[in-house]
Amino acid sequence: MSGRHREMPPELAEALALVAPGTELREGIDNIIHANNGALIVVSNPEKLKRLGIISGGMKIDCSFTPMRLYELAKMDGALVVSPDFSVIHYANVQLNPDPSLPSEETGMRHLSGHRTAQQTGDLVIVVSERRRVVSLYQGSYGPHVLEDIGVMLSKADSALATLEKFTRRLRDEARILTLHEYDGVVTLREVIGAISTFETSVRIAEEIRAYIRELGSEGRLVEMQLEQAFHDVPDQYEALLRDYVDEGVDYEEALAALHELTPEELSEPMHISQALGYGSVGQTEDFFVKPRGYRQLARVPRLPRKVAERLISEFGSLKGLLEASEDELDDVEGVGQARARAIRRGLRRQRELDRSEDIL
């Protein structure tokens, strides 16, 4: 990818769930395809379309939506107007008259009318191609988004899951090395940047898999379970890493947003990640040492509330300060208490001993 990918609008993401296998809308669309017919479906309020002068003629139906009614009414040449919640078919066989000056690279009349109508209204338009037997979605200026065959989608999802599992294995290795260096106080910015690049790539792969799941509908349940198993704690680990290492005065959420905006090419350049973290251009990142605040290690302490972890880090300032703190010093922090202070101290020590023993093995 040479540039930033265009984000799918939330409205279209929601629409994908409505046209996914197992839904009534998808059943109606599949019936149209199997009969070698085409269709042009505008998902909008008819009064809005009239006000804009986009529709004319046709038959007012105002009947409840069912897959069979959609299939039967699509046999007529004109467009169908369906309510945004897909509960009512308002019109059939209407003519669409969108603004002809709106740009479009579509050539077929159905697709051209559908694309321009979507642009002018900002609404969802579904086009079923009679000749090519494919379904295209348009939402505002976005489109076409072509629905793919279920078998193809499952194959792509499986491939993406395998890639995600490869990256999560790399994350575990990088996290183990990073943790050992945190205990020794020798973490470099280069290590942090490498881990962040892996985390961000994993997040993007997971987003791709979620898009497949939305389109797969009832066919994507196994993929969804596999994604949850592979990815369930990765976002929390990513957040803790950023909170540990963003520069002073940088909000980790802003840094996360900046990282999301990087192109794949920019994500492979350490300078761009360094800038997102607030360090700017620091030269040789392998010679630039950074100190963890302790979020990653406190996240591993069982049943430790987030607010308490934040107070501990505010009080002691770094992982080193936390590791050197006595039970009495921990107890003095609001919300800790004697029992929790003991659990925190023992938990951090146990983690350090376990991590070091695993490294020796």
Side-chain angles (χ1 to χ4, degrees):
M1 189 188 306
S2 60
R4 289 177 176 80
H5 65 284
R6 188 161 53 138
E7 292 291 337
M8 180 183 295
E11 296 86 354
L12 183 54
E14 293 171 7
L16 285 174
L18 292 169
V19 299
T23 64
E24 287 194 335
L25 178 57
R26 183 58 173 266
E27 182 183 343
I29 289 172
D30 286 344
N31 289 338
I32 293 169
I33 292 174
H34 294 154
N36 294 318
N37 292 331
L40 178 52
I41 305 166
V42 182
V43 184
S44 183
N45 184 312
E47 297 305 316
K48 172 183 176 180
L49 298 177
K50 290 178 184 177
R51 188 170 63 252
L52 293 172
I54 292 177
I55 61 172
S56 62
M59 300 169 53
K60 187 173 183 179
I61 305 294
D62 282 341
C63 65
S64 298
F65 179 96
T66 68
M68 186 53 65
R69 283 173 179 157
L70 184 75
Y71 162 68
E72 291 292 345
L73 292 169
K75 291 178 181 178
M76 292 184 273
D77 290 336
L80 298 166
V81 178
V82 180
S83 64
D85 62 358
F86 293 94
S87 64
V88 178
I89 301 175
H90 290 295
Y91 279 88
N93 199 31
V94 300
Q95 298 302 310
L96 296 183
N97 308 294
D99 184 348
S101 67
L102 290 169
S104 178
E105 296 181 2
E106 299 291 2
T107 54
M109 287 305 299
R110 275 201 182 103
H111 291 80
L112 181 61
S113 295
H115 190 198
R116 285 176 172 165
T117 297
Q119 290 181 73
Q120 190 170 347
T121 63
D123 294 327
L124 172 68
V125 179
I126 304 168
V127 180
V128 182
S129 172
E130 182 176 349
R131 181 171 57 84
R132 294 185 293 135
R133 297 168 61 86
V134 298
V135 181
S136 303
L137 306 184
Y138 301 89
Q139 177 81 54
S141 61
Y142 187 98
H145 180 90
V146 178
L147 299 184
E148 295 196 70
D149 178 78
I150 292 174
V152 173
M153 294 291 294
L154 285 171
S155 177
K156 288 184 176 181
D158 287 342
S159 176
L161 278 168
T163 303
L164 179 62
E165 289 169 358
K166 180 184 73 173
F167 273 89
T168 53
R169 285 195 297 271
R170 184 190 300 178
L171 279 177
R172 286 193 291 272
D173 292 339
E174 290 176 342
R176 181 178 58 81
I177 295 170
L178 187 61
T179 295
L180 292 171
H181 289 177
E182 286 179 345
Y183 293 141
D184 295 332
V186 291
V187 177
T188 66
L189 183 57
R190 180 179 183 177
E191 290 176 283
V192 174
I193 286 173
I196 286 174
S197 177
T198 308
F199 267 113
E200 181 62 29
T201 302
S202 300
V203 166
R204 296 181 185 194
I205 296 170
E207 288 175 351
E208 178 185 342
I209 296 170
R210 289 192 186 99
Y212 294 142
I213 291 170
R214 283 194 297 269
E215 287 199 39
L216 285 166
S218 59
E219 300 290 334
R221 289 168 186 160
L222 178 59
V223 177
E224 188 172 17
M225 291 171 59
Q226 291 173 310
L227 175 61
E228 172 62 25
Q229 182 177 8
F231 196 67
H232 70 98
D233 61 345
V234 171
D236 290 339
Q237 293 179 34
Y238 191 10
E239 177 185 321
L241 178 67
L242 288 174
R243 299 186 81 182
D244 260 341
Y245 289 107
V246 291
D247 197 18
E248 291 289 343
V250 175
D251 183 89
Y252 80 91
E253 292 181 328
E254 293 179 0
L256 182 61
L259 290 165
H260 286 342
E261 285 295 310
L262 296 180
T263 65
E265 291 79 9
E266 290 169 342
L267 191 61
S268 67
E269 294 290 336
M271 178 188 68
H272 291 292
I273 297 178
S274 175
Q275 289 173 342
L277 296 178
Y279 293 105
S281 301
V282 298
Q284 298 298 315
T285 55
E286 64 269 24
D287 297 329
F288 190 91
F289 291 90
V290 287
K291 295 181 180 179
R293 295 181 175 91
Y295 285 103
R296 291 180 66 247
Q297 302 311 322
L298 283 180
R300 298 168 66 188
V301 176
R303 296 179 295 279
L304 182 64
R306 183 186 181 103
K307 288 293 186 184
V308 175
E310 290 173 350
R311 292 191 193 109
L312 287 165
I313 290 171
S314 177
E315 176 67 26
F316 297 103
S318 67
L319 177 61
K320 184 175 184 294
L322 283 166
L323 292 171
E324 294 175 351
S326 66
E327 283 186 22
D328 288 341
E329 289 173 325
L330 293 169
D331 185 11
D332 287 339
V333 176
E334 181 184 353
V336 175
Q338 186 176 6
R340 181 171 282 162
R342 185 179 302 113
I344 292 169
R345 194 156 190 263
R346 288 178 178 176
L348 290 173
R349 283 185 171 182
R350 190 179 301 116
Q351 286 168 195
R352 180 165 53 176
E353 292 169 1
L354 181 62
D355 290 331
R356 290 195 183 283
S357 65
E358 287 180 350
D359 185 52
I360 293 172
L361 293 174

